[in-house]
Amino acid sequence: MNKNKFEDVLIDIFSDLNVNNFQVEYSIKKFFLCGGEINIANEKTPSFRDRFMRHTAQSYDSIYNAIVLAESFKDYFKENVYTDLLVFERDIANIATLVIIILESPGALVELGMFCNKTDLYKKLIIVANQKHTEHEDSFIYLGPLEYIRRKDPTSVAEYPWNDSVQKNDYDSLEDLCSVINDKIEKYPSSERLKVDNSGHISFLISEIITLCYPILIGEIELIFLALEIEISISQIQRSLYLLNKIGVISSRKYGTSYKFYYPLIKDKKTVRFGGTKSGRKVDSLTLRMAINQSFINETDQLSGRRVNVLKLINSSLLVTV
C-alpha cells in the first residue's frame, strides 16, 4: 500500500533526526493541584485550596494560570484511556512541573499515599499540611509519610495553620506558600536530555510533533515514532494525547467520518529541541514546517483536502481565541 505524500515527508524528516540529540524544554509550566472543595460562589471559601486559588488569581497570575485541578481528570477512565490508576498517577507526575497536594480531603490523602514512595518525584512535590494535625506527634501523618518525605527533601513539605473559615493569618500563609512554589520553580531545570522511558518526555515529544506537523492524525504520530525508531504503543500515544489536551497544550477537531486531527494550542513554546540530524545538519523547525505544509496543501487526494479544510478551521479558531 503506497503512502501519501504527507506521510513520505514525515518519514524523510524524522528518520534523519538523531534521538540522542533531543532535548526536552520545560517551557510550559503546569501545577497539578489536589485538595479540598473549590466553590467560587461561596464567599466562606470552604477549603484552603479554594483560598489559594482566589489568592493566586488576585496576586500571582503566573501560578494561577499554571494550575490544573485534579478534578480536570475525573473522566480518565472513559474510553479505556487509563485502566490503571497507578499508571495515571505516574503519567500526571511526569508531565507536571509541580504536584501540590493540600491535605484536607480524602482524595488528597490518597494522593499522598501514592506519591510518598516515589523519591524521584520529590523535586516537583509540595505537600501542604495543616499544623492543627501535624503538631500532635502521635499523628499517623506526622510520624509517617510527611516525615519520610521531609527527610528526603525538606522543600517538599510546608505546614500552615488554617481553620474551616477564613482567618486574618491566611494571607501570610498563602503568601508564604506562593514563595515556596516560586523557590521550587527556580531550582527546576530548564531542560533535560530526552529519556524515552519517561512518559512525560514522550508527551512533550508528541506535543512538539503536533506543533510541527498539525493537523495530524494519531496514526501519523505513530508513524513518526516508527521513523524515530522509538518503541511506543498506540495506547501510550492515546494517554499522552489525553493528558496534553487536559492541561491545555493541544486540542483536536473531528472532520468527516472517523478523522480526528490534532493541533497545538501553544505554538510559541518549544517542548523538545531536536538538535542536529544524523548527518550533522542543524534542524530548522520553520523550514521543516514549510516542507510539511507543502506536502498536502497543493495535493488533490481526499485526505489532503480534508487536512487543508481542517487547517483553515484551526487557524480561524486560534485567531478568535487570541
Side-chain angles (χ1 to χ4, degrees):
M1 180 177 171
N2 293 328
K3 299 180 179 69
N4 59 43
K5 188 175 179 181
F6 181 77
E7 290 181 345
D8 287 340
V9 170
L10 294 183
I11 292 171
D12 288 344
I13 288 174
F14 285 94
S15 62
D16 191 38
L17 298 182
N18 187 345
V19 175
N20 293 326
N21 294 333
F22 286 11
Q23 195 81 3
V24 175
E25 298 287 329
Y26 296 118
S27 57
I28 300 174
K29 303 292 189 293
K30 295 294 177 180
F31 307 151
F32 177 66
L33 178 62
C34 183
E37 178 189 358
I38 291 178
N39 187 349
I40 301 301
N42 184 355
E43 293 183 359
K44 295 183 179 180
T45 56
S47 71
F48 194 71
R49 184 173 67 144
D50 187 291
R51 290 167 231 178
F52 174 69
M53 289 291 291
R54 293 170 190 256
H55 187 73
T56 55
Q58 293 177 353
S59 306
Y60 292 87
D61 285 346
S62 61
I63 294 177
Y64 180 79
N65 293 331
I67 290 172
V68 181
L69 299 177
E71 297 91 316
S72 302
F73 304 96
K74 61 185 178 182
D75 63 344
Y76 73 90
F77 56 88
K78 288 185 177 180
E79 299 179 8
N80 293 321
V81 176
Y82 280 97
T83 57
D84 188 327
L85 179 60
L86 294 178
V87 173
F88 171 68
E89 295 289 346
R90 179 205 65 195
D91 289 353
I92 283 287
N94 283 338
I95 202 172
T97 312
L98 293 179
V99 176
I100 305 169
I101 303 174
I102 302 178
L103 297 179
E104 55 181 346
S105 69
L109 293 173
V110 172
E111 297 286 350
L112 173 63
M114 289 183 173
F115 285 110
C116 68
N117 291 321
K118 295 181 172 64
T119 56
D120 58 319
L121 298 177
Y122 288 177
K123 65 181 181 180
K124 57 171 67 178
L125 184 63
I126 299 177
I127 307 295
V128 183
N130 193 327
Q131 284 179 342
K132 288 195 304 182
H133 301 145
T134 59
E135 64 187 5
H136 303 294
E137 296 198 6
D138 60 347
S139 162
F140 166 76
I141 294 176
Y142 183 87
L143 294 174
L146 284 187
E147 272 307 298
Y148 178 80
I149 294 171
R150 198 198 311 269
R151 286 196 300 269
K152 296 292 184 179
D153 186 347
T155 69
S156 291
V157 178
E159 298 181 38
Y160 302 103
W162 73 79
N163 295 315
D164 292 338
S165 58
V166 177
Q167 304 293 313
K168 288 184 178 179
N169 62 356
D170 283 345
Y171 176 84
D172 294 333
S173 298
L174 293 167
E175 280 286 300
D176 190 82
L177 177 55
C178 290
S179 295
V180 168
I181 291 170
N182 284 329
D183 288 345
K184 194 100 168 175
I185 290 299
E186 285 183 8
K187 297 174 183 177
Y188 202 82
S190 59
S191 64
E192 186 178 359
R193 184 176 173 178
L194 177 80
K195 299 174 182 176
V196 296
D197 60 347
N198 184 312
S199 63
H201 286 195
I202 291 297
S203 292
F204 293 132
L205 177 54
I206 289 175
S207 172
E208 190 64 29
I209 287 170
I210 291 172
T211 300
L212 187 64
C213 307
Y214 78 96
I216 187 169
L217 301 168
I218 187 171
E220 294 159 349
I221 296 173
E222 185 180 25
L223 182 67
I224 287 172
F225 275 96
L226 288 173
L228 291 171
E229 298 181 348
I230 296 176
E231 291 188 14
I232 183 173
S233 66
I234 192 69
S235 60
Q236 185 175 354
I237 296 175
Q238 289 172 329
R239 292 196 295 268
S240 290
L241 291 172
Y242 169 82
L243 293 179
L244 290 168
N245 175 263
K246 286 296 183 179
I247 67 175
V249 174
I250 68 163
S251 189
S252 62
R253 182 177 282 272
K254 293 181 179 179
Y255 195 85
T257 52
S258 59
Y259 290 90
K260 188 175 185 180
F261 293 90
Y262 292 91
Y263 64 94
L265 293 176
I266 309 175
K267 294 196 291 184
D268 61 337
K269 300 284 188 181
K270 289 196 71 65
T271 51
V272 172
R273 293 193 182 277
F274 295 132
T277 65
K278 291 177 180 177
S279 57
R281 292 183 295 105
K282 184 178 179 181
V283 176
D284 180 13
S285 294
L286 181 59
T287 301
L288 296 185
R289 175 65 185 162
M290 290 176 62
I292 292 168
N293 276 353
Q294 290 301 315
S295 72
F296 67 88
I297 285 179
N298 296 319
E299 296 301 303
T300 58
D301 63 282
Q302 188 178 52
L303 181 55
S304 293
R306 284 173 171 161
R307 203 183 305 274
V308 169
N309 292 338
V310 170
L311 181 59
K312 292 176 182 176
L313 293 170
I314 291 170
N315 288 338
S316 62
S317 65
L318 290 176
L319 287 173
V320 170
T321 56
V322 171

